[in-house]
Amino acid sequence: MLSSSYDDGICYVETMNLDGETNLKLKQSLEVTSGLQADSSFQNFKTIIKCEDPNASLYTFVGTMEYEDQEYPLSPQQLLLRDSKLRNTDYIYGVVVFTGHDTKVMQNAMNPPSKRSKIEVKMDKLIYLLLFSLVVVSSIGSVVFGILSSDDLQDGKVKRWYLKPDDSSIYYDPRRAAVAAILHFLTAIMLYSYFIPISLYVSIEIVKVLQSIFINQDIQMYHEESNKPARARTSNLNEELGQVATILSDKTGTLTCNSMEFIKCSIAGTAYGHGFTEVERAIARRKGSLLIENEQSKENHEQAKPAIKGYNFDDARIINGNWVYEPRSDIIQMFFRLLAICHTAIPEVDEETGKISYEAESPDEAAFVIAARELGFEFYQRTQTSISIHELDPVSCKHVEKSYKLLNVLEFNSSRKRMSVVVQDDEGKLLLLSKGADSVMFERLGKGGRGFENKTKEQMLEYADAGLRTLVLAYRRLDEEEYKSFNKRFMAATNSVTTDRDEKIEEAADSIERNLILLGATAVEDKLQNGVPECIDKLAQAGIKIWVLTGDKMETAINIGFACSLLRQGMKQIIITLDGPEIIHLEKDGNKEAIAKVSRDSVLYQINEGKKLLSSSNTESFALVIDGRSLAYALEDDAKNLFLQLAVGCASVICCRSSPKQKALVTRLVKAGSGKVTLAIGDGANDVGMLQEADIGVGISGAEGMQAVMASDIAISQFRFLERLLLVHGHWCYRRISLMICYFFYKNLTFGLTLFLYEAYSSFSGQPAYDDWYMSLYNVIFTSLPAIALGVFDQDVSARFCLKFPMLYQEGVQNLLFSWLQILSWLFSGVCNGVMIFFFCTSALQHRAFRKGGEAVGLEVLGATMYTCVIWVVNCQMALSISYFTLIQHMFIWGGIALWYLFLLAYGAITPTLSTSAFMVFVEGLASAPSYWIITLFVVIATLLPFFIYLAIQMRFFPMHHNMIQWMRFDGHADDPEYCQVVRQRSVRPTTVGVSARVDATVSQLARKVHDVVHSPP
Amino acid sequence: MEGPVHIYYELDNFYQNHRRYVKSRSDKQLRSKASETETTNCAPEATTSDGSVIVPCGLIAWSLFNDTYSFAVNSKIIEVNKKNIAWLSDKEHKFGSDVYPKNFQMGGLIGGAKLNASIPLSEQEDLIVWMRTAALPRFRKLYGRIETDLAANEQITVTIQNNYNTYSFEGKKNLVLSTTSWIGGKNDFLGTAYLTVGSLCLFLAMGFIILYLLKPRTLGDPSYLSWNRNPDGHY
């Protein structure tokens, strides 16, 4: 940027698409170019810009500009990034440094990957396994066939003369047995292709599409206000939703609604404000305490008046000018005056309505100004030198206009952690108004200003634990002399051009921000979305780890950690940061290599320290907080495994100040390092990389545009829907798909094995035991519909219980239902069933007459009988495996069997030209033979008996979690709250985060709070 | 034995279910005279060496079983009824009444029985029975029925004409006389199997009941959960 419509070359930009923050950022051009204000002045404009190569770091830029034979250093301050929006600025002039793929945003972008679920990947391996067994089985058959064929003709002597081996085509030629065997191998591959359920792929696709429809149609994931249902944008990953081990979440717009609300304050040691934060509500609901009733009545009350964005303060002692009657009204007056004056916001008066809105650098600042306005201190005009407010006069109780002369602004920065203004009021009195973080403010209080320090501190601790963002407000009066000397120093410092300019300014400011008088503290809520703490609580109970990756400052991130119960008092925080004194010192020198080296060592050291701490205790829970710059080093090859180990050991992980690229890299690290399923959730363009990198990307279709949704696999409109999406739909889909795949392999193996065994009895000649049509329709009609019904409708326990017992979700995370053991036992079961069906049928029918008429058993009779048994067995096996019957299941399972008989009838009735050997088999031969029915009954019972026994023993003695919940429901325990509590308690560990765990830790504290609320005067 | 007594010949190690064998027939040719020339699958017994069509063609018909039996009790010959030994549907729908054997067993190598060229195929019941291929290498086929009762300890003299060659493939031939009940011929397997499975079920039921009475276990106890027993498995 070279210049802007402002004289001093500043402009405001919004960088929502880059870091997800909606506040305005200030950019400033170099002083030398800020005077170029007209198009004509660029006619002879010539400059050379030297800068670093294109890279992905959003917060750094190094370069120089050569202009009029002089070099000026360029910093990120002069750089406007692509995708940022100009706000409150009419126009700017600038030079384009990088375009297209060289821009920082594009450097952060990644190619959209194609995603497949872990189950499908595993299924591929299973297919390979079966393909291998198919080849083995086929080659065994071919070899035996080859040997038998060559045996038929030895030294001119024909053995099986009825086959005429001496006059044979190539396929059976004993003289070229090897060739015949190879050709037979191909036949066998075709014949045994039933080992591999090809229709499975089609069925899975159908099932997944139907599952996605269920997800899309779920009314409980529909957000009424925004009229947005959940939307599964890909149907590939449904079952993956049931296996998520780690959630990586964005903060702004995902956990929070990105609005700040002034909710509480502590003035002169007295706490004001009744509002409850989301987390307090969640805790209260959890405990079922009085708070709810209290609050509900208030909510009704609240609905009466229009809600004001950024303001949720309610205390009868303060509002409507009542503060005048409070004992320390002078302090209260000063408190709100400070809020109205000490900021950098710009008022915007709506000319039609006369209402005033504010554009502030940060949303909390806006919240302060709004709060001040609502409480009678309306800030309405800002000029370069003065601030005007409407103020409520305590004596006359009328609004009076007051104007304050703005003398100095001591701006906020991350090392000062405070902001002050020096103003002169109408009467000429000089005031220093200051607000800042408690860590720096309390030490700056003067002797006379500590009157209620302890009380304020106590209240602030309470606020902080509730996830509120707190600031301490203080002021002092200045006398002329003091101010003059300060102003001199300050002016000198600001006008200096040496490198230590900032330091000098800081020193000057430091000298005056002393001996302050404490006013009180504010508490602003970074408003969480509805139901976020409960949702996180449920997810934590389900054993899912939640990482927060945010572009925000560390303090903000930690606050939110508290607000969502990811952090709590008593949790050990491991903070990895590069803000140590030596690094700052080195940065001043500007030696990049030295900085990098020291930083790397420092990060490594901190990680190792953290690990030591972690291993020293296993009862405490730890939280890891790391900032973006440290993260850059922690993600380097040598450190990343250490970092991962540390992070995995911690109950919650918060990464702040992270760029989109870093978010994606962290996601990749977790995905690759843990080998488990990761889910990323975010709403902004800055989350796109993360969403694409994670196994599942969930986009929040909120206010921040569509980029995240377009890059996501599943879009929901509120964070809290994640709970239902994972715990209910995810769990179900995982269960359905894994069971369905297992079942498909099982049924095809059963079928394929009867074919193979029959081969063994027909000298591996490749003669199928069944009619061609039977075989073709096996997968298409008789057995696939129940499997699809299983895949779409089956549920082990109802949605209510899925949510009630979140630890059920661990079945998916630990992949209990699709482990190799599970798969192989299904395959084993398939083999057993195939063998049993074949031998039972052949032994029962043998060579004897099978009916009264004395007719002997032919190929077609054996085939049809065996096929009947297979159909019955696999369908009944399905009936045993599923746990949720609707009419559809019944229809498909029993319908499949009925269809077989119908088919047999129809097929037998058509002309023998088409039906060949199956002609009238059922009508004439089978139906009237009692032995056919008796054999069917016997084979079905005997074949399913082992599985049934296994099921009974497993259910009684080694129940899986869903079995137990089924038991509990069956016994009626499920509605007994105490019993459920006991069950649930087991899933809460000392290291678990979330509201429930927090409740245990804060029972006493809460009791006190409830007491306070109940007994405080309304 | 009460009549009717069924007479079967039983072959062992004879692969009627060999793919080449099973396919070597022409259903169309068997059904109607019009499709006499449809002998696609019948090689090498499709045509004679001079190219005229063989009816019925194929290996199955060619290797028709040709042993004959005659029975006598106390040197009194017993009538063997060879009618109605084939499936009715075969006779009526699969084997045409206008199709007569032609050029059958005229080649150099004669496989099995010859057919009377003046009787239509639909009445050649031995052929029809033989053409229903057996499922397993050991099989029986109905030869005929003795309609009279046979008393116990009666001496039956059987005269066998041993024409059919089973020596080359080390096969066995048996002759079986059997009555049938509602369930078919004699077979112990089903009975034994039903008893075994039934008693197994009974035994298991008893076992579970005893186990339940001796050591009842609280249902739905989460401590049995795998991830509660193994804390490391939590993550």
Side-chain angles (χ1 to χ4, degrees), chain A residues 159-164 167 758 761 765-766 814 844 847-849 852-854 856 859-860 913 916 924 934 938 949 956-957 961, chain B residues 8 14-15 17 19-20 31 44-45 88-89 94 132-133 135 137 140 145 165 168 180 185 187 193-194 204 211 217 225 227 233:
Chain A
K159 207 168 164 196
R160 290 191 288 190
W161 58 268
Y162 53 91
L163 295 176
K164 275 220 170 176
D167 183 7
Y758 183 73
Y761 282 82
S765 58
Q814 294 177 16
H847 42 267
R848 71 192 186 91
K852 183 95 173 93
L859 176 52
E860 72 290 339
T913 326
T916 61
E924 192 184 26
I934 292 176
F938 167 72
I949 295 170
R956 292 241 163 218
F957 301 102
H961 201 120
Chain B
Y8 300 94
F14 187 100
Y15 286 88
N17 58 10
R19 195 156 96 109
R20 181 170 198 225
R31 271 184 82 197
E45 284 298 319
L88 199 62
S89 65
K94 283 192 177 169
R132 278 242 174 175
T133 46
R140 288 179 194 172
R145 295 191 186 89
N165 178 8
S168 74
T180 53
N187 187 341
Y194 260 102
L204 282 169
L211 214 62
R217 155 174 182 273
L225 278 177
W227 60 85

Coordinates of all heavy atoms in Angstrom, one line a residue, chain A residues 159-164 167 758 761 765-766 814 844 847-849 852-854 856 859-860 913 916 924 934 938 949 956-957 961, chain B residues 8 14-15 17 19-20 31 44-45 88-89 94 132-133 135 137 140 145 165 168 180 185 187 193-194 204 211 217 225 227 233:
Chain A
K159 N -9.3 -94.4 -19.5 CA -9.8 -94.8 -18.2 C -11.3 -94.5 -18.1 O -12.1 -95.4 -18.0 CB -9.1 -94.0 -17.2 CG -9.0 -94.6 -15.8 CD -7.9 -93.9 -15.0 CE -8.1 -94.3 -13.5 NZ -7.4 -93.4 -12.7
R160 N -11.7 -93.2 -18.1 CA -13.1 -92.9 -18.0 C -13.6 -92.9 -19.4 O -13.8 -91.8 -20.0 CB -13.3 -91.6 -17.3 CG -13.0 -91.7 -15.8 CD -13.4 -90.5 -15.0 NE -12.6 -89.4 -15.3 CZ -12.6 -88.2 -14.7 NH1 -13.5 -88.1 -13.7 NH2 -11.8 -87.3 -15.0
W161 N -13.9 -94.0 -20.0 CA -14.3 -94.1 -21.4 C -15.5 -93.3 -21.7 O -15.7 -92.8 -22.8 CB -14.5 -95.6 -21.8 CG -15.6 -96.2 -20.9 CD1 -15.4 -96.9 -19.8 CD2 -17.0 -96.2 -21.2 NE1 -16.6 -97.3 -19.3 CE2 -17.6 -96.9 -20.1 CE3 -17.8 -95.7 -22.2 CZ2 -19.0 -97.1 -20.1 CZ3 -19.2 -95.9 -22.2 CH2 -19.8 -96.6 -21.1
Y162 N -16.4 -93.2 -20.7 CA -17.7 -92.5 -21.0 C -17.5 -91.0 -21.3 O -18.3 -90.3 -21.8 CB -18.7 -92.7 -19.9 CG -18.2 -92.3 -18.5 CD1 -18.3 -91.0 -18.0 CD2 -17.5 -93.3 -17.8 CE1 -17.9 -90.7 -16.8 CE2 -17.0 -92.9 -16.5 CZ -17.2 -91.6 -16.0 OH -16.7 -91.3 -14.8
L163 N -16.3 -90.5 -21.0 CA -16.0 -89.1 -21.3 C -15.3 -88.9 -22.6 O -15.0 -87.8 -23.1 CB -15.1 -88.5 -20.2 CG -15.7 -88.4 -18.8 CD1 -14.7 -87.9 -17.8 CD2 -16.9 -87.5 -18.8
K164 N -15.0 -90.1 -23.3 CA -14.3 -90.1 -24.5 C -13.0 -89.2 -24.5 O -12.9 -88.2 -25.3 CB -15.2 -89.6 -25.7 CG -16.0 -90.8 -26.2 CD -16.1 -90.7 -27.7 CE -16.7 -92.0 -28.4 NZ -16.9 -91.9 -29.8
D167 N -11.0 -88.5 -27.7 CA -11.5 -87.6 -28.8 C -12.1 -86.4 -28.2 O -13.3 -86.2 -28.1 CB -12.6 -88.4 -29.5 CG -13.2 -87.7 -30.7 OD1 -12.6 -86.6 -31.0 OD2 -14.2 -88.1 -31.3
Y758 N -18.7 -78.8 -4.1 CA -19.3 -79.7 -5.1 C -18.3 -80.0 -6.1 O -18.3 -81.2 -6.7 CB -20.6 -79.0 -5.7 CG -21.3 -79.9 -6.6 CD1 -22.0 -80.9 -6.2 CD2 -21.1 -79.7 -8.0 CE1 -22.6 -81.8 -7.1 CE2 -21.7 -80.5 -8.9 CZ -22.5 -81.6 -8.4 OH -23.1 -82.4 -9.3
Y761 N -16.4 -83.0 -5.8 CA -17.1 -84.3 -6.1 C -17.4 -84.4 -7.5 O -18.1 -85.4 -7.9 CB -18.4 -84.3 -5.3 CG -18.2 -84.7 -3.8 CD1 -17.8 -83.8 -2.9 CD2 -18.3 -86.0 -3.4 CE1 -17.5 -84.1 -1.6 CE2 -18.1 -86.4 -2.1 CZ -17.7 -85.4 -1.2 OH -17.4 -85.8 0.1
S765 N -14.4 -80.6 -12.6 CA -14.5 -80.3 -14.0 C -15.1 -79.0 -14.3 O -15.2 -78.5 -15.4 CB -15.5 -81.4 -14.6 OG -16.7 -81.4 -13.9
G766 N -15.6 -78.3 -13.2 CA -16.1 -76.9 -13.5 C -17.6 -76.9 -13.6 O -18.2 -76.0 -14.0
Q814 N -12.5 -47.5 18.6 CA -11.6 -48.7 18.7 C -11.9 -49.7 17.6 O -11.2 -50.7 17.6 CB -11.8 -49.3 20.1 CG -11.3 -48.3 21.2 CD -11.6 -48.9 22.6 OE1 -11.8 -50.1 22.7 NE2 -11.5 -48.1 23.6
A844 N -27.6 -86.2 3.6 CA -29.0 -86.5 3.8 C -29.7 -87.0 2.5 O -30.5 -87.9 2.5 CB -29.8 -85.2 4.2
H847 N -27.3 -91.0 -2.4 CA -27.7 -91.6 -3.7 C -29.1 -92.3 -3.6 O -29.5 -92.9 -4.5 CB -26.6 -92.7 -4.0 CG -26.2 -93.5 -2.8 ND1 -25.1 -93.2 -2.1 CD2 -26.8 -94.6 -2.2 CE1 -25.0 -94.0 -1.1 NE2 -26.0 -94.9 -1.1
R848 N -29.7 -92.1 -2.4 CA -30.9 -92.9 -2.2 C -32.1 -92.2 -2.9 O -32.0 -91.1 -3.3 CB -31.1 -93.0 -0.7 CG -31.6 -91.7 -0.1 CD -31.5 -91.6 1.3 NE -32.1 -90.3 1.7 CZ -33.4 -90.1 2.0 NH1 -34.2 -91.1 1.9 NH2 -33.8 -88.9 2.3
A849 N -33.2 -92.9 -2.8 CA -34.5 -92.3 -3.2 C -34.9 -91.3 -2.2 O -34.7 -91.5 -1.0 CB -35.5 -93.4 -3.4
K852 N -41.4 -91.0 -1.9 CA -42.1 -92.2 -1.9 C -42.1 -92.9 -3.2 O -42.0 -94.2 -3.3 CB -43.6 -91.8 -1.6 CG -44.5 -93.0 -1.4 CD -44.6 -93.4 0.1 CE -45.7 -94.5 0.2 NZ -45.1 -95.9 0.2
G853 N -42.1 -92.2 -4.3 CA -42.1 -92.8 -5.6 C -40.9 -93.6 -6.0 O -40.8 -94.2 -7.0
G854 N -39.8 -93.4 -5.1 CA -38.6 -94.2 -5.4 C -37.6 -93.5 -6.3 O -36.6 -94.1 -6.7
A856 N -34.6 -91.5 -7.7 CA -33.3 -91.2 -7.1 C -33.0 -89.8 -7.3 O -33.6 -89.0 -8.1 CB -32.2 -92.1 -7.8
L859 N -28.9 -84.4 -10.1 CA -28.2 -83.1 -9.9 C -29.1 -81.9 -9.6 O -28.8 -81.1 -8.8 CB -27.3 -82.8 -11.2 CG -26.6 -81.5 -11.2 CD1 -25.7 -81.4 -10.0 CD2 -25.7 -81.4 -12.5
E860 N -30.2 -81.9 -10.4 CA -31.1 -80.8 -10.2 C -31.8 -80.8 -8.8 O -32.0 -79.7 -8.2 CB -32.1 -80.7 -11.3 CG -33.2 -81.7 -11.3 CD -32.7 -83.1 -11.6 OE1 -31.7 -83.3 -12.2 OE2 -33.4 -84.1 -11.3
T913 N -37.2 -75.5 -22.8 CA -36.1 -75.0 -23.6 C -35.3 -74.0 -22.8 O -34.0 -73.9 -22.9 CB -36.7 -74.3 -24.8 OG1 -37.8 -74.9 -25.2 CG2 -35.7 -74.3 -26.0
T916 N -34.4 -75.7 -18.9 CA -33.6 -77.0 -18.9 C -33.9 -77.9 -17.7 O -35.0 -78.3 -17.5 CB -32.1 -76.6 -19.1 OG1 -31.7 -75.9 -18.0 CG2 -31.8 -75.9 -20.4
E924 N -42.9 -80.9 -9.3 CA -43.0 -82.4 -9.4 C -42.2 -83.1 -8.4 O -42.6 -84.1 -7.8 CB -42.6 -82.7 -10.8 CG -42.9 -84.2 -11.2 CD -42.3 -84.5 -12.6 OE1 -41.3 -83.9 -12.9 OE2 -42.9 -85.4 -13.2
I934 N -37.9 -81.5 5.5 CA -37.3 -81.9 6.7 C -35.8 -81.6 6.6 O -35.2 -81.0 7.6 CB -37.5 -83.4 7.0 CG1 -38.9 -83.6 7.3 CG2 -36.6 -83.9 8.1 CD1 -39.3 -85.1 7.5
F938 N -33.8 -79.0 9.1 CA -32.6 -79.5 9.8 C -31.3 -78.7 9.5 O -30.6 -78.3 10.4 CB -32.3 -81.0 9.5 CG -31.0 -81.5 10.0 CD1 -30.8 -81.6 11.4 CD2 -30.0 -81.7 9.1 CE1 -29.5 -82.0 11.8 CE2 -28.7 -82.0 9.6 CZ -28.5 -82.2 10.9
I949 N -25.3 -70.1 19.5 CA -24.6 -70.3 20.8 C -23.6 -69.2 21.1 O -23.6 -68.7 22.2 CB -23.9 -71.7 20.8 CG1 -25.0 -72.8 20.7 CG2 -23.1 -71.9 22.1 CD1 -24.4 -74.2 20.5
R956 N -24.3 -62.8 27.1 CA -24.5 -63.0 28.5 C -23.2 -62.7 29.3 O -23.1 -62.2 30.3 CB -24.9 -64.4 28.9 CG -26.3 -64.7 28.4 CD -27.2 -65.1 29.6 NE -28.5 -65.0 29.2 CZ -29.5 -64.6 30.0 NH1 -29.2 -64.2 31.3 NH2 -30.7 -64.5 29.6
F957 N -22.1 -63.2 28.7 CA -20.9 -63.2 29.5 C -19.8 -62.2 29.0 O -19.0 -61.8 29.7 CB -20.3 -64.7 29.5 CG -21.2 -65.7 30.0 CD1 -21.9 -66.5 29.2 CD2 -21.4 -65.7 31.4 CE1 -22.8 -67.4 29.7 CE2 -22.3 -66.7 31.9 CZ -23.0 -67.5 31.1
H961 N -20.7 -53.1 24.5 CA -21.4 -52.0 25.1 C -22.9 -51.9 24.7 O -23.8 -51.7 25.5 CB -20.7 -50.7 24.9 CG -21.1 -49.7 25.9 ND1 -20.3 -49.1 26.7 CD2 -22.4 -49.2 26.2 CE1 -20.9 -48.3 27.5 NE2 -22.2 -48.3 27.3
Chain B
Y8 N -32.7 -100.8 -8.1 CA -31.8 -99.7 -8.5 C -30.5 -100.4 -9.0 O -30.1 -101.4 -8.4 CB -31.4 -98.8 -7.4 CG -32.6 -98.0 -6.8 CD1 -33.2 -98.5 -5.7 CD2 -33.0 -96.8 -7.3 CE1 -34.3 -97.9 -5.1 CE2 -34.1 -96.1 -6.8 CZ -34.7 -96.6 -5.7 OH -35.8 -96.0 -5.1
F14 N -18.3 -93.0 -10.9 CA -18.7 -92.7 -12.2 C -19.2 -91.3 -12.2 O -20.1 -90.9 -11.6 CB -19.9 -93.6 -12.6 CG -20.3 -93.5 -14.1 CD1 -19.8 -94.4 -15.0 CD2 -21.1 -92.5 -14.5 CE1 -20.1 -94.3 -16.3 CE2 -21.4 -92.3 -15.9 CZ -20.9 -93.3 -16.8
Y15 N -18.4 -90.4 -13.0 CA -18.6 -89.0 -12.9 C -19.7 -88.6 -13.9 O -19.3 -88.0 -14.9 CB -17.3 -88.2 -13.0 CG -16.5 -88.3 -11.8 CD1 -15.6 -89.4 -11.6 CD2 -16.6 -87.4 -10.7 CE1 -14.9 -89.5 -10.4 CE2 -15.9 -87.5 -9.6 CZ -15.0 -88.6 -9.4 OH -14.3 -88.7 -8.3
N17 N -21.5 -86.3 -13.3 CA -21.5 -84.8 -13.1 C -20.3 -84.1 -13.7 O -20.1 -82.9 -13.4 CB -21.7 -84.5 -11.6 CG -20.6 -85.0 -10.8 OD1 -19.6 -85.5 -11.3 ND2 -20.7 -85.0 -9.5
R19 N -18.3 -82.0 -16.2 CA -18.9 -80.9 -16.9 C -19.0 -81.3 -18.4 O -20.0 -81.0 -19.1 CB -18.0 -79.7 -16.8 CG -18.7 -78.4 -17.3 CD -18.1 -77.2 -16.7 NE -17.1 -76.6 -17.5 CZ -17.3 -75.5 -18.1 NH1 -18.4 -74.8 -18.0 NH2 -16.3 -75.0 -18.9
R20 N -18.0 -82.0 -18.9 CA -18.1 -82.3 -20.3 C -19.2 -83.3 -20.6 O -20.0 -83.1 -21.6 CB -16.8 -83.0 -20.7 CG -16.7 -83.4 -22.1 CD -15.4 -83.9 -22.6 NE -15.3 -83.8 -24.0 CZ -14.8 -84.8 -24.8 NH1 -14.3 -85.9 -24.3 NH2 -14.8 -84.7 -26.1
R31 N -36.4 -83.1 -27.8 CA -37.9 -82.7 -27.7 C -38.6 -82.8 -29.0 O -39.8 -83.2 -29.0 CB -38.0 -81.2 -27.2 CG -38.0 -81.1 -25.7 CD -38.2 -79.7 -25.3 NE -39.6 -79.3 -25.4 CZ -40.0 -78.0 -25.4 NH1 -39.1 -77.1 -25.5 NH2 -41.3 -77.8 -25.5
P44 N -18.0 -85.4 -29.0 CA -17.8 -86.1 -30.3 C -18.9 -87.0 -30.8 O -18.6 -87.8 -31.7 CB -16.5 -86.8 -30.0 CG -16.5 -87.2 -28.6 CD -17.3 -86.1 -27.9
E45 N -20.0 -87.1 -30.1 CA -21.0 -88.0 -30.5 C -22.2 -87.2 -31.2 O -23.3 -87.5 -30.9 CB -21.5 -88.8 -29.3 CG -20.6 -89.9 -28.9 CD -20.4 -91.0 -29.9 OE1 -21.3 -91.4 -30.6 OE2 -19.2 -91.4 -30.1
L88 N -42.5 -87.9 -14.8 CA -43.5 -87.7 -15.7 C -43.3 -86.4 -16.6 O -43.5 -86.4 -17.9 CB -44.8 -87.4 -15.0 CG -46.1 -87.6 -15.8 CD1 -46.2 -89.1 -16.3 CD2 -47.3 -87.3 -15.0
S89 N -42.7 -85.4 -16.0 CA -42.4 -84.2 -16.8 C -41.4 -84.5 -17.9 O -41.5 -83.9 -19.0 CB -41.9 -83.1 -15.9 OG -40.7 -83.5 -15.3
K94 N -40.0 -83.2 -22.1 CA -38.6 -83.1 -22.5 C -38.2 -84.1 -23.6 O -37.3 -83.8 -24.4 CB -37.7 -83.3 -21.3 CG -37.6 -82.1 -20.4 CD -36.5 -82.3 -19.4 CE -36.3 -81.1 -18.6 NZ -35.4 -81.4 -17.5
R132 N -31.2 -88.0 -16.8 CA -31.2 -87.1 -15.7 C -29.8 -87.4 -14.9 O -29.7 -88.3 -14.1 CB -32.3 -87.5 -14.7 CG -33.6 -86.9 -15.1 CD -34.1 -85.9 -14.0 NE -35.3 -85.3 -14.5 CZ -36.0 -84.4 -13.8 NH1 -35.7 -84.2 -12.6 NH2 -37.1 -83.9 -14.3
T133 N -28.9 -86.5 -15.2 CA -27.5 -86.8 -14.6 C -27.5 -86.7 -13.1 O -28.2 -85.9 -12.5 CB -26.5 -85.7 -15.1 OG1 -27.1 -84.5 -15.0 CG2 -26.2 -86.0 -16.6
A135 N -26.0 -86.4 -9.2 CA -25.3 -85.2 -8.6 C -23.9 -85.6 -8.2 O -23.0 -84.8 -8.3 CB -26.1 -84.7 -7.4
P137 N -20.6 -88.7 -7.7 CA -20.0 -89.9 -8.5 C -20.6 -91.2 -8.0 O -20.4 -92.2 -8.8 CB -18.5 -89.7 -8.2 CG -18.4 -88.8 -7.0 CD -19.6 -87.9 -7.0
R140 N -27.5 -93.9 -7.7 CA -28.4 -95.0 -8.1 C -29.3 -94.5 -9.1 O -29.7 -93.3 -9.2 CB -29.2 -95.4 -6.9 CG -28.4 -96.1 -5.8 CD -29.3 -96.5 -4.7 NE -28.5 -96.9 -3.5 CZ -29.0 -97.1 -2.3 NH1 -30.3 -96.9 -2.1 NH2 -28.3 -97.5 -1.4
R145 N -39.4 -101.8 -11.1 CA -40.1 -102.1 -9.8 C -40.6 -103.6 -9.8 O -41.0 -104.1 -10.9 CB -41.2 -101.2 -9.6 CG -40.8 -99.8 -9.4 CD -42.0 -99.0 -8.8 NE -41.7 -97.5 -8.8 CZ -41.9 -96.7 -9.8 NH1 -42.4 -97.1 -10.9 NH2 -41.5 -95.4 -9.7
N165 N -19.0 -101.5 -18.9 CA -17.6 -101.5 -18.6 C -17.3 -100.5 -17.4 O -17.4 -99.3 -17.6 CB -16.8 -101.2 -19.8 CG -15.3 -101.1 -19.5 OD1 -14.9 -101.5 -18.4 ND2 -14.5 -100.7 -20.4
S168 N -12.4 -100.2 -16.4 CA -11.4 -99.3 -16.9 C -11.2 -98.1 -15.9 O -10.1 -97.6 -15.7 CB -11.7 -98.7 -18.3 OG -12.7 -97.8 -18.2
T180 N -39.7 -98.0 -0.2 CA -39.7 -96.6 0.3 C -40.8 -96.3 1.3 O -41.8 -97.0 1.3 CB -39.9 -95.6 -0.9 OG1 -41.1 -96.0 -1.6 CG2 -38.7 -95.6 -1.9
G185 N -36.1 -93.5 0.6 CA -35.4 -94.8 0.8 C -34.8 -94.7 2.2 O -34.9 -93.8 3.0
N187 N -32.3 -94.2 5.0 CA -31.2 -93.3 5.3 C -31.2 -93.0 6.8 O -32.1 -92.4 7.3 CB -31.5 -92.0 4.5 CG -30.3 -91.1 4.6 OD1 -29.5 -91.2 5.5 ND2 -30.2 -90.2 3.6
A193 N -28.9 -87.3 12.8 CA -28.6 -85.9 12.9 C -29.6 -85.1 13.7 O -29.2 -84.3 14.6 CB -28.5 -85.3 11.5
Y194 N -30.9 -85.4 13.5 CA -31.9 -84.7 14.3 C -31.7 -85.0 15.8 O -31.8 -84.1 16.6 CB -33.3 -85.1 13.8 CG -33.9 -84.1 12.9 CD1 -34.0 -84.3 11.6 CD2 -34.5 -83.0 13.4 CE1 -34.6 -83.4 10.7 CE2 -35.1 -82.0 12.6 CZ -35.1 -82.2 11.2 OH -35.7 -81.3 10.4
L204 N -27.3 -77.7 26.1 CA -26.9 -76.3 26.2 C -27.9 -75.6 27.0 O -27.5 -74.8 27.9 CB -26.7 -75.7 24.8 CG -25.5 -76.0 24.1 CD1 -25.5 -75.5 22.7 CD2 -24.3 -75.4 24.8
L211 N -26.0 -72.7 35.0 CA -25.0 -71.6 35.1 C -25.7 -70.3 35.7 O -25.2 -69.6 36.6 CB -24.4 -71.2 33.8 CG -23.0 -70.8 33.8 CD1 -22.1 -71.9 34.3 CD2 -22.6 -70.4 32.4
R217 N -25.5 -63.2 37.2 CA -24.5 -62.1 37.1 C -25.4 -60.8 36.8 O -26.3 -60.8 36.1 CB -23.6 -62.4 35.9 CG -23.1 -61.3 35.2 CD -22.1 -61.8 34.1 NE -21.6 -60.6 33.6 CZ -22.2 -59.9 32.6 NH1 -23.2 -60.4 32.0 NH2 -21.7 -58.8 32.2
L225 N -16.7 -54.1 30.2 CA -16.4 -53.5 28.9 C -14.9 -53.6 28.6 O -14.1 -53.4 29.5 CB -16.8 -52.1 28.9 CG -18.3 -51.9 28.6 CD1 -18.6 -50.4 28.6 CD2 -18.6 -52.4 27.2
W227 N -13.0 -51.7 27.1 CA -12.1 -50.5 27.3 C -12.1 -50.0 28.8 O -11.4 -49.1 29.1 CB -12.5 -49.4 26.4 CG -13.9 -48.9 26.5 CD1 -14.4 -47.9 27.4 CD2 -15.0 -49.3 25.7 NE1 -15.7 -47.8 27.2 CE2 -16.1 -48.6 26.2 CE3 -15.2 -50.2 24.7 CZ2 -17.4 -48.7 25.6 CZ3 -16.4 -50.3 24.1 CH2 -17.5 -49.6 24.6
G233 N -6.3 -48.7 26.4 CA -7.0 -48.7 25.1 C -8.0 -47.5 25.0 O -8.7 -47.4 24.0

